[in-house]
Amino acid sequence: MKTSAVTSADLGKSILSVPPLARSADFSVSDAENQKLVNHLKQGGVSTFMYGGNANFYNISVGEYDGVLTQLESWVGDDDWVIPSIGADYGKALDQVNILKHRDFPTAMALPLNFPSTPKGVNEGLRRLADAYGKPLIVYVKSDTYLTPRLVADLLADGVACAVKYAAVRENPAIDAFLTELVGYAGTDHIISGIGERPAIEHLMDFKLAGFTSGSVCVAPALSTAMLKALQAGDVTTAANIREKFIALEDLRDGYSPLRILHEAVRLAGIADTGPMYPFLSNIDDAKVLADLETASKELLAANNAA
């Protein structure tokens, strides 16, 4: 897998996929089912795998962390980039970087903790974590109250962060005062859109961000990859047409639960058996939601296979 330092080119080389983590009935991480999902993504042109919120790394135990890292390494090839996550709380993140620093991953994403935290405290914590790790982190910004634009820019400038995953949801993604200020301070080379296909056109075309992450890419990797390539070529019409194919699944994710819907979508589409959700999350058991989700997932997969 990729072990070299993270560059801006890495952020746009592939969709940064954010897969769920398939587990067996006893909650152990399933090599076989996760390998199926990784292979499906690779067949669609994806070479970057970010295990974060969709993989429920918020609830992963420190005791299983080292073993899971070994599994992550085993699922990918020499040219693939794997990004594990740490946190969300400081104490757990510190324990995890003390494990990670003996590994060859070039970075890890710091999951955001919105409570209890303050921007000044998060800034201090991320600096201490990067120092303990000996490598820069990916900073994950989901709200205006987590860090200020100036603090985020300083983390990049000081080498504490190698990238920023920007995922604050706006009614109109083209109008975003926080992102405008952040780009003004830090430029765009190391900032990626972190909310999937829905805001990607505005984020990459209007704000010139370096790339975008996606969960729904796990169902339709070829389509998501084609959308990224269209945006990189400035072909907004093609990108918008592709984006429409994702909206039914994205509406379910936004309306119910991004993590839990994606977990079931991969299973219902027949890509991999994602199994039980790791506590404190639970699988969806609403029959109507599951029926709608199966339809949306299979239609998106069919569109992907026809691409």
Side-chain angles (χ1 to χ4, degrees):
M1 66 177 185
K2 169 184 167 61
T3 59
S4 57
V6 177
T7 67
S8 179
D10 292 326
L11 302 176
K13 179 182 178 183
S14 161
I15 298 292
L16 290 93
S17 67
V18 192
L21 192 64
R23 290 183 179 266
S24 302
D26 62 358
F27 288 125
S28 62
V29 175
S30 171
D31 277 316
E33 298 305 320
N34 284 294
Q35 188 70 72
K36 289 178 185 177
L37 177 52
V38 168
N39 290 346
H40 175 67
L41 285 160
K42 286 169 66 70
Q43 289 168 6
V46 175
S47 60
T48 303
F49 306 89
M50 175 182 281
Y51 289 88
N54 290 336
N56 197 11
F57 261 57
Y58 285 93
N59 284 310
I60 196 170
S61 72
V62 174
E64 71 173 335
Y65 193 67
D66 193 51
V68 172
L69 294 179
T70 297
Q71 290 178 286
L72 298 185
E73 292 175 329
S74 73
W75 302 332
V76 300
D78 291 344
D79 296 328
D80 297 325
W81 179 20
V82 179
I83 306 165
S85 294
I86 59 172
D89 66 272
Y90 176 75
K92 180 178 168 183
L94 186 58
D95 288 342
Q96 289 170 327
V97 297
N98 284 327
I99 295 169
L100 272 169
K101 68 184 181 183
H102 302 293
R103 297 275 187 159
D104 292 330
F105 298 95
T107 188
M109 182 170 68
L111 296 169
L113 181 71
N114 289 328
F115 176 84
S117 67
T118 63
K120 184 177 179 180
V122 170
N123 175 68
E124 175 72 12
L126 292 175
R127 289 177 180 275
R128 288 180 175 272
L129 289 170
D131 184 62
Y133 186 19
K135 296 176 184 177
L137 301 168
I138 295 178
V139 176
Y140 187 1
V141 177
K142 291 189 71 172
S143 72
D144 293 353
T145 58
Y146 180 61
L147 286 163
T148 67
R150 178 77 268 177
L151 287 173
V152 176
D154 288 346
L155 291 171
L156 285 168
D158 295 343
V160 175
C162 59
V164 175
K165 178 182 176 181
Y166 183 75
V169 176
R170 311 296 181 193
E171 183 174 350
N172 180 351
I175 301 173
D176 191 327
F178 188 105
L179 185 54
T180 298
E181 187 176 353
L182 174 58
V183 166
Y185 287 137
T188 61
D189 288 349
H190 296 277
I191 305 174
I192 54 175
S193 174
I195 333 174
E197 286 76 14
R198 195 188 297 274
I201 293 176
E202 290 79 6
H203 280 175
L204 270 66
M205 293 293 94
D206 297 350
F207 290 98
K208 311 299 182 185
L209 301 191
F212 71 92
T213 72
S214 172
S216 293
V217 67
C218 295
V219 177
L223 283 178
S224 196
T225 296
M227 182 175 171
L228 174 64
K229 291 181 177 179
L231 290 172
Q232 290 172 335
D235 185 353
V236 174
T237 299
T238 296
N241 288 336
I242 295 171
R243 178 172 64 180
E244 282 303 308
K245 301 179 189 300
F246 286 88
I247 295 302
L249 179 54
E250 287 296 289
D251 282 348
L252 284 166
R253 294 184 70 202
D254 291 344
Y256 200 87
S257 166
L259 283 69
R260 298 168 70 207
I261 287 287
L262 180 65
H263 191 90
E264 305 296 354
V266 170
R267 176 182 65 83
L268 291 170
I271 297 163
D273 184 358
T274 44
M277 293 213 74
Y278 200 57
F280 284 149
L281 288 173
S282 60
N283 290 75
I284 293 170
D285 56 10
D286 185 308
K288 175 64 164 61
V289 172
L290 289 172
D292 290 345
L293 178 56
E294 183 171 7
T295 298
S297 301
K298 288 183 175 179
E299 287 180 353
L300 180 58
L301 178 62
N304 177 80
N305 294 341

